[in-house]
Amino acid sequence: MTRATPTSPTTGPDIVASGGPASAATGGASARHDVAAAAPAWAGSPWRERLRRVLLAVAALVLLCAVWELYRAVGPTDGGRLFGVPVLPRATDTAMPHTWDIVAQLGEKEVRTAGSDTVGVAVAKAMWFSLRVAFAGLVVGVVVGVLLAVAMARLRIVERGLLPYVIASQTVPLVALAPLVAGWGGKLQLGSLEWERWMSVSMIAAYLAFFPVAVGMLRGLQSPGPNAVELMRSYAASWWQTLLRLRLPASVPFLLPALRLAAASAVIGAIVAEISTGTRGGIGRLIIDYSQSASSDASRLYDAVLGAAVAGLLFAGLISLVELALTWRRRHGGGRARPIRKVGT
Amino acid sequence: MTSTGPATAPAPQAGAAEAAPAAGAAPVPAVEVRGLDKVFPVSGGGQTVALSGIDLTVAPGEFVSLIGPSGCGKSTLLRLVADLLEPSAGEVRVFGKPAGEARRGQDYGIAFQQAGLLEWRTVAGNVELPLQVHGVRKKERRARARDLLALVGLADFADHWPAQLSGGMQQRVAIARALAERPRLLLLDEPFGALDEMTRERMQAELARIRHETATTVILVTHSIPEAVFLSDRVAVMSPRPGRITRIVDIDLPNRVGAPGESGGLADADDVREQSAFFAAVTAVREALRAGGPA
Ligand SMILES: Nc1ncnc2c1ncn2[C@@H]1O[C@H](COP(=O)(O)OP(=O)(O)OP(=O)(O)O)[C@@H](O)[C@H]1O
Ligand SMILES: [Mg+2]
């Protein structure tokens, strides 16, 4: 159960299924379907609410560790089987190291030579690399997603023609696509710009990230009712003015959850693409390296997975900042002096 | 292009004090509807005849109410005048121009039955919306929004969000928004539909006052006979589908708050509602409605 090569864009390493700490990174992908159902949420939360949320998150983490350790203590050491199919992980040191061992491993040297990085430093460096690559992918994905959504909202024909392909694009197995993209990239020559490997990885991250943005944004752009559209028509507003004053602001509540999913997708996409294109420097490579020693001691591999989870969390935090920026006016009295707290909701 | 828009066509009578509802005497009618039909295609091949053979002329400064059973096409008629729908047959002219030209020239302001405020804009921001779309500068917009909100009695709520207002207050904001471009024609679709009786009467008095102060031509869709009688110079009574105008009842109430030029002035609204001429007019409209068909 410690093989690290994922088989599809949405499933991470299969350790995750047993409730490992990587669930934060993959949770977004399974929630992808929620993008269309996401309700507008203008409500700004006061500080107390925010503190409560942080405490809840910490409590959830503690609970997760407790469950992990509890299973270690009482779970079967040869794993649970149902009709001969393994359904429960083995509660052994190799399969499920203690949480403190996983943390302690961060301080160990990566290789036993002088001047080697500790595992923690290696994970942090890899995380930084993957994050930058994923961020580039996220930016490209968001730009492409927004442009696609605007084009689809502008012309019904474009929507009819494009939307099926947008949806189909996400069913292409990423592991098959990644080497192809890397191969094309190698042949690409954009003027003086040298196509580098990480760019291929970014492209694949973008390929995953654009989808929730395109779908969520399209829904948001189409969210204003006929009344609002007629109102703009009565002002003889051009299509661009209608976009600027009506459709774009109306799409913000749809865009935010979409961005969150896109961010998670970009991290997953980057890591998976690193693995399947063999790009060095990122979490993906680390997962491959560490999984080779996982049969004897899996705690290192868990550290790499932890890094992926933290990368996902950092991205989620980034999106929260974007959210703050986008709803600032909404929560602070239209930019005028007096802050107004919204009643209800 | 703030107040009158590019509409510098030969329409000199604009918003002047001259507001005699006398037929034929006024040079260019504010609204002229001729032989108007509206047919909606229905999915499955059929069609709904919403309006048939509508003729209506509204003089500048006049206040005309449309009343009729639900589904008779009142909103449709208003939308046709606003050029939000295309007529199937016939013609709509607004201040002598085709309806589309009048819309592009911002000759009318419209308020729908639902207030339809944009929730991400403050109350003032909502009133400023049409001005912003038309490129009016920020300072000017602010000042105009402040004036309009004072006009509808919401001066203290400029920085509130729509969700913080009651339904009636939201509708007042929508009316202020409709007035933002100083339109010569105001189209109101059941603006007081969802209000309690007291608020409703207060808002009717406010509308009468606004109309008195701004000399605007008004077409009002309503389900309330007293409301139509209280506010209007004429009440157009419509029949059930296919909608036709079956009768036009002239209302003549002494002491009513009417157009600026009229006699009367600011009489107490309750006095107007309690005089016998008021009840007679209500009865006349009710009978016209009944004669129109099963309502
Ligand atoms: N967009 C549309 N498509 C098809 N039919 C429509 C459309 N709009 C209105 N109709 C039909 O036209 C008729 C008149 O509708 P309209 O909304 O004008 O009625 P109304 O007089 O305003 O009714 P109410 O008093 O209930 O608001 C109705 O039968 C309705 O079904
Ligand atoms: Mg209606």
PDB file of all heavy atoms in Angstrom, chain A residues 251-269:
ATOM      1  N   SER A 251     -20.251  37.058 -10.435  1.00  0.00           N
ATOM      2  CA  SER A 251     -19.577  35.762 -10.492  1.00  0.00           C
ATOM      3  C   SER A 251     -18.579  35.569  -9.361  1.00  0.00           C
ATOM      4  O   SER A 251     -18.080  34.465  -9.168  1.00  0.00           O
ATOM      5  CB  SER A 251     -18.879  35.593 -11.845  1.00  0.00           C
ATOM      6  OG  SER A 251     -17.799  36.489 -11.932  1.00  0.00           O
ATOM      7  N   VAL A 252     -18.301  36.632  -8.613  1.00  0.00           N
ATOM      8  CA  VAL A 252     -17.299  36.505  -7.542  1.00  0.00           C
ATOM      9  C   VAL A 252     -17.623  35.381  -6.553  1.00  0.00           C
ATOM     10  O   VAL A 252     -16.763  34.571  -6.236  1.00  0.00           O
ATOM     11  CB  VAL A 252     -17.112  37.857  -6.812  1.00  0.00           C
ATOM     12  CG1 VAL A 252     -16.325  37.678  -5.537  1.00  0.00           C
ATOM     13  CG2 VAL A 252     -16.410  38.843  -7.729  1.00  0.00           C
ATOM     14  N   PRO A 253     -18.877  35.297  -6.069  1.00  0.00           N
ATOM     15  CA  PRO A 253     -19.161  34.223  -5.116  1.00  0.00           C
ATOM     16  C   PRO A 253     -19.011  32.835  -5.728  1.00  0.00           C
ATOM     17  O   PRO A 253     -18.819  31.871  -5.010  1.00  0.00           O
ATOM     18  CB  PRO A 253     -20.623  34.460  -4.725  1.00  0.00           C
ATOM     19  CG  PRO A 253     -20.943  35.817  -5.181  1.00  0.00           C
ATOM     20  CD  PRO A 253     -20.049  36.145  -6.319  1.00  0.00           C
ATOM     21  N   PHE A 254     -19.114  32.732  -7.036  1.00  0.00           N
ATOM     22  CA  PHE A 254     -18.919  31.443  -7.689  1.00  0.00           C
ATOM     23  C   PHE A 254     -17.439  31.197  -7.952  1.00  0.00           C
ATOM     24  O   PHE A 254     -16.978  30.067  -7.984  1.00  0.00           O
ATOM     25  CB  PHE A 254     -19.667  31.398  -9.023  1.00  0.00           C
ATOM     26  CG  PHE A 254     -21.160  31.433  -8.872  1.00  0.00           C
ATOM     27  CD1 PHE A 254     -21.831  32.629  -8.695  1.00  0.00           C
ATOM     28  CD2 PHE A 254     -21.899  30.253  -8.897  1.00  0.00           C
ATOM     29  CE1 PHE A 254     -23.200  32.664  -8.547  1.00  0.00           C
ATOM     30  CE2 PHE A 254     -23.262  30.274  -8.744  1.00  0.00           C
ATOM     31  CZ  PHE A 254     -23.922  31.484  -8.572  1.00  0.00           C
ATOM     32  N   LEU A 255     -16.721  32.277  -8.161  1.00  0.00           N
ATOM     33  CA  LEU A 255     -15.306  32.162  -8.503  1.00  0.00           C
ATOM     34  C   LEU A 255     -14.490  31.679  -7.308  1.00  0.00           C
ATOM     35  O   LEU A 255     -13.559  30.887  -7.465  1.00  0.00           O
ATOM     36  CB  LEU A 255     -14.787  33.516  -8.989  1.00  0.00           C
ATOM     37  CG  LEU A 255     -13.341  33.530  -9.481  1.00  0.00           C
ATOM     38  CD1 LEU A 255     -13.187  32.627 -10.689  1.00  0.00           C
ATOM     39  CD2 LEU A 255     -12.903  34.944  -9.822  1.00  0.00           C
ATOM     40  N   LEU A 256     -14.855  32.150  -6.103  1.00  0.00           N
ATOM     41  CA  LEU A 256     -14.021  31.842  -4.944  1.00  0.00           C
ATOM     42  C   LEU A 256     -13.920  30.342  -4.654  1.00  0.00           C
ATOM     43  O   LEU A 256     -12.810  29.832  -4.535  1.00  0.00           O
ATOM     44  CB  LEU A 256     -14.515  32.628  -3.732  1.00  0.00           C
ATOM     45  CG  LEU A 256     -14.229  34.128  -3.870  1.00  0.00           C
ATOM     46  CD1 LEU A 256     -14.894  34.908  -2.757  1.00  0.00           C
ATOM     47  CD2 LEU A 256     -12.743  34.400  -3.894  1.00  0.00           C
ATOM     48  N   PRO A 257     -15.037  29.626  -4.546  1.00  0.00           N
ATOM     49  CA  PRO A 257     -14.879  28.177  -4.355  1.00  0.00           C
ATOM     50  C   PRO A 257     -14.175  27.523  -5.537  1.00  0.00           C
ATOM     51  O   PRO A 257     -13.419  26.567  -5.359  1.00  0.00           O
ATOM     52  CB  PRO A 257     -16.308  27.666  -4.211  1.00  0.00           C
ATOM     53  CG  PRO A 257     -17.199  28.788  -4.545  1.00  0.00           C
ATOM     54  CD  PRO A 257     -16.429  30.053  -4.494  1.00  0.00           C
ATOM     55  N   ALA A 258     -14.414  28.038  -6.736  1.00  0.00           N
ATOM     56  CA  ALA A 258     -13.749  27.481  -7.916  1.00  0.00           C
ATOM     57  C   ALA A 258     -12.236  27.668  -7.797  1.00  0.00           C
ATOM     58  O   ALA A 258     -11.463  26.763  -8.118  1.00  0.00           O
ATOM     59  CB  ALA A 258     -14.275  28.148  -9.190  1.00  0.00           C
ATOM     60  N   LEU A 259     -11.822  28.823  -7.317  1.00  0.00           N
ATOM     61  CA  LEU A 259     -10.391  29.080  -7.149  1.00  0.00           C
ATOM     62  C   LEU A 259      -9.787  28.114  -6.146  1.00  0.00           C
ATOM     63  O   LEU A 259      -8.662  27.636  -6.310  1.00  0.00           O
ATOM     64  CB  LEU A 259     -10.163  30.514  -6.656  1.00  0.00           C
ATOM     65  CG  LEU A 259     -10.176  31.615  -7.706  1.00  0.00           C
ATOM     66  CD1 LEU A 259      -9.923  32.960  -7.056  1.00  0.00           C
ATOM     67  CD2 LEU A 259      -9.136  31.340  -8.770  1.00  0.00           C
ATOM     68  N   ARG A 260     -10.545  27.848  -5.108  1.00  0.00           N
ATOM     69  CA  ARG A 260     -10.052  26.941  -4.080  1.00  0.00           C
ATOM     70  C   ARG A 260      -9.804  25.556  -4.674  1.00  0.00           C
ATOM     71  O   ARG A 260      -8.772  24.936  -4.437  1.00  0.00           O
ATOM     72  CB  ARG A 260     -11.075  26.875  -2.950  1.00  0.00           C
ATOM     73  CG  ARG A 260     -10.424  26.773  -1.618  1.00  0.00           C
ATOM     74  CD  ARG A 260     -11.361  27.134  -0.500  1.00  0.00           C
ATOM     75  NE  ARG A 260     -11.116  28.486  -0.044  1.00  0.00           N
ATOM     76  CZ  ARG A 260     -12.060  29.361   0.213  1.00  0.00           C
ATOM     77  NH1 ARG A 260     -13.316  29.031   0.042  1.00  0.00           N
ATOM     78  NH2 ARG A 260     -11.752  30.548   0.621  1.00  0.00           N
ATOM     79  N   LEU A 261     -10.763  25.095  -5.453  1.00  0.00           N
ATOM     80  CA  LEU A 261     -10.583  23.799  -6.108  1.00  0.00           C
ATOM     81  C   LEU A 261      -9.424  23.854  -7.091  1.00  0.00           C
ATOM     82  O   LEU A 261      -8.635  22.923  -7.196  1.00  0.00           O
ATOM     83  CB  LEU A 261     -11.859  23.397  -6.851  1.00  0.00           C
ATOM     84  CG  LEU A 261     -13.081  23.135  -5.997  1.00  0.00           C
ATOM     85  CD1 LEU A 261     -14.204  22.551  -6.830  1.00  0.00           C
ATOM     86  CD2 LEU A 261     -12.726  22.181  -4.870  1.00  0.00           C
ATOM     87  N   ALA A 262      -9.336  24.951  -7.819  1.00  0.00           N
ATOM     88  CA  ALA A 262      -8.276  25.082  -8.807  1.00  0.00           C
ATOM     89  C   ALA A 262      -6.914  25.033  -8.129  1.00  0.00           C
ATOM     90  O   ALA A 262      -5.973  24.404  -8.636  1.00  0.00           O
ATOM     91  CB  ALA A 262      -8.436  26.390  -9.586  1.00  0.00           C
ATOM     92  N   ALA A 263      -6.799  25.663  -6.969  1.00  0.00           N
ATOM     93  CA  ALA A 263      -5.529  25.678  -6.255  1.00  0.00           C
ATOM     94  C   ALA A 263      -5.143  24.261  -5.844  1.00  0.00           C
ATOM     95  O   ALA A 263      -3.999  23.831  -6.044  1.00  0.00           O
ATOM     96  CB  ALA A 263      -5.629  26.588  -5.033  1.00  0.00           C
ATOM     97  N   ALA A 264      -6.108  23.533  -5.290  1.00  0.00           N
ATOM     98  CA  ALA A 264      -5.825  22.147  -4.901  1.00  0.00           C
ATOM     99  C   ALA A 264      -5.442  21.326  -6.125  1.00  0.00           C
ATOM    100  O   ALA A 264      -4.484  20.548  -6.106  1.00  0.00           O
ATOM    101  CB  ALA A 264      -7.040  21.547  -4.203  1.00  0.00           C
ATOM    102  N   SER A 265      -6.182  21.530  -7.222  1.00  0.00           N
ATOM    103  CA  SER A 265      -5.890  20.784  -8.447  1.00  0.00           C
ATOM    104  C   SER A 265      -4.503  21.103  -8.970  1.00  0.00           C
ATOM    105  O   SER A 265      -3.804  20.222  -9.470  1.00  0.00           O
ATOM    106  CB  SER A 265      -6.917  21.119  -9.529  1.00  0.00           C
ATOM    107  OG  SER A 265      -8.181  20.678  -9.147  1.00  0.00           O
ATOM    108  N   ALA A 266      -4.107  22.361  -8.861  1.00  0.00           N
ATOM    109  CA  ALA A 266      -2.798  22.753  -9.381  1.00  0.00           C
ATOM    110  C   ALA A 266      -1.691  22.053  -8.605  1.00  0.00           C
ATOM    111  O   ALA A 266      -0.712  21.575  -9.194  1.00  0.00           O
ATOM    112  CB  ALA A 266      -2.628  24.270  -9.303  1.00  0.00           C
ATOM    113  N   VAL A 267      -1.847  21.955  -7.286  1.00  0.00           N
ATOM    114  CA  VAL A 267      -0.836  21.270  -6.472  1.00  0.00           C
ATOM    115  C   VAL A 267      -0.773  19.797  -6.857  1.00  0.00           C
ATOM    116  O   VAL A 267       0.308  19.243  -7.120  1.00  0.00           O
ATOM    117  CB  VAL A 267      -1.141  21.434  -4.973  1.00  0.00           C
ATOM    118  CG1 VAL A 267      -0.189  20.598  -4.147  1.00  0.00           C
ATOM    119  CG2 VAL A 267      -1.041  22.897  -4.573  1.00  0.00           C
ATOM    120  N   ILE A 268      -1.938  19.182  -6.935  1.00  0.00           N
ATOM    121  CA  ILE A 268      -1.963  17.763  -7.315  1.00  0.00           C
ATOM    122  C   ILE A 268      -1.361  17.583  -8.700  1.00  0.00           C
ATOM    123  O   ILE A 268      -0.524  16.712  -8.932  1.00  0.00           O
ATOM    124  CB  ILE A 268      -3.413  17.228  -7.314  1.00  0.00           C
ATOM    125  CG1 ILE A 268      -3.963  17.252  -5.892  1.00  0.00           C
ATOM    126  CG2 ILE A 268      -3.459  15.826  -7.873  1.00  0.00           C
ATOM    127  CD1 ILE A 268      -5.463  17.106  -5.844  1.00  0.00           C
ATOM    128  N   GLY A 269      -1.801  18.424  -9.623  1.00  0.00           N
ATOM    129  CA  GLY A 269      -1.319  18.320 -10.999  1.00  0.00           C
ATOM    130  C   GLY A 269       0.191  18.449 -11.058  1.00  0.00           C
ATOM    131  O   GLY A 269       0.867  17.676 -11.748  1.00  0.00           O
TER     132      GLY A 269
END
